[in-house]
Amino acid sequence: MAAFEQIRNIYCVGRNYALHAKELGNDVPGQPMIFSKPTHALHPAEGRLQLPGGVGEIHHELELVVRIAAPYEQGKSLTQLIDGVALGIDWTARDVQNVLKEKRHPWLLAKGFKGSAVLSDFTAFKGAEAFEQLQFSLRMNGEIIQSGSPKDMIFPLEQLVNYIGTQYGLGAGDIIYTGTPAGVGPVKHGDIIELVWETAVEGSKQSFGPLEIELV
């Protein structure tokens, strides 16, 4: 299980895959779109996950997550700054988010509820080149419904780390959800979710779960 007590800030990157932006009818951003979640949102990638019911559709957004190991300083390499990579889900109350977007309000109500930051165990970060070759998927009720690879990111990892580190600061224990590929969609009560490494990742399980969804 991920060591949640060591996690400090949770940064998330919006619209970092062009096809995902397109599927939701959003413009592709010219610079990284960063938002955050409270640490109360963290939930392991197994067991029963209670998500809010009665607020419209709750969408899964599968992501790669990196863990910061040292304070950000300009010029440090990614291997000096990052020590782990994991699979995660940025759960989104989509109908709530759409209303907030129309009102130009912050997204926290749609993105920061309890359980909205699912996170697997971390495995060792092997550098930017190895990171870009990763392939990952989300399996729902035995069927793969979302897949991606960071080589398709609009803003690569180094740019994200430099941007967040410069604008907001980064320190040991911070994590970054790096964006979701296309294929997001709603879940219903009783769905079973698994997070899958499609490429072999040294020192990691091939899949995480099952995660049983409860809408309450």
Side-chain angles (χ1 to χ4, degrees):
M1 182 179 295
F4 292 165
E5 68 276 4
Q6 298 175 10
I7 294 175
R8 297 177 61 208
N9 297 300
I10 304 173
Y11 295 106
C12 304
V13 184
R15 305 181 194 174
N16 199 25
Y17 289 75
L19 291 179
H20 168 59
K22 183 177 180 180
E23 73 180 345
L24 295 183
N26 294 320
D27 294 332
V28 174
Q31 64 182 22
M33 292 180 58
I34 308 301
F35 61 95
S36 64
K37 293 175 182 271
T39 54
H40 298 291
L42 289 165
H43 191 285
E46 61 185 3
R48 292 185 177 182
L49 173 62
Q50 292 187 341
L51 298 174
V55 297
E57 291 187 348
I58 305 293
H59 282 202
H60 57 81
E61 297 195 14
L62 174 69
E63 312 210 5
L64 286 179
V65 184
V66 297
R67 181 176 61 198
I68 302 301
Y72 175 80
E73 293 179 14
Q74 199 167 22
K76 278 187 175 180
S77 69
L78 290 183
T79 53
Q80 291 175 303
L81 292 169
I82 298 172
D83 71 350
V85 58
L87 297 171
I89 303 176
D90 162 24
W91 290 101
T92 304
R94 188 68 69 201
D95 295 326
V96 174
Q97 185 190 36
N98 289 338
V99 171
L100 294 172
K101 286 164 61 177
E102 289 176 2
K103 295 181 178 180
R104 299 183 180 276
H105 288 181
W107 293 358
L108 186 59
L109 188 62
K111 291 281 195 177
F113 50 87
K114 289 182 180 179
S116 63
V118 162
L119 187 63
S120 78
D121 294 340
F122 281 90
T123 189
F125 178 73
K126 300 293 187 180
E129 185 174 345
F131 179 82
E132 287 192 358
Q133 300 307 311
L134 294 172
Q135 297 180 31
F136 56 106
S137 296
L138 183 146
R139 185 184 295 145
M140 182 187 296
N141 303 323
E143 179 183 357
I144 289 180
I145 60 172
Q146 189 180 8
S147 296
S149 173
K151 66 178 182 293
D152 297 322
M153 286 179 176
I154 297 169
F155 306 106
L157 184 59
E158 185 172 14
Q159 185 175 356
L160 294 178
V161 169
N162 286 332
Y163 183 84
I164 296 171
T166 300
Q167 298 297 323
Y168 307 105
L170 281 169
D174 292 346
I175 62 174
I176 303 173
Y177 282 67
T178 58
T180 190
V184 304
V187 291
K188 62 183 183 300
H189 188 83
D191 281 340
I192 303 296
I193 302 292
E194 294 175 276
L195 307 184
V196 182
W197 289 116
E198 295 294 348
T199 49
V201 177
E202 183 180 351
S204 179
K205 296 188 295 185
Q206 192 66 22
S207 64
F208 298 91
L211 185 67
E212 182 178 354
I213 304 303
E214 294 184 351
L215 298 181
V216 297

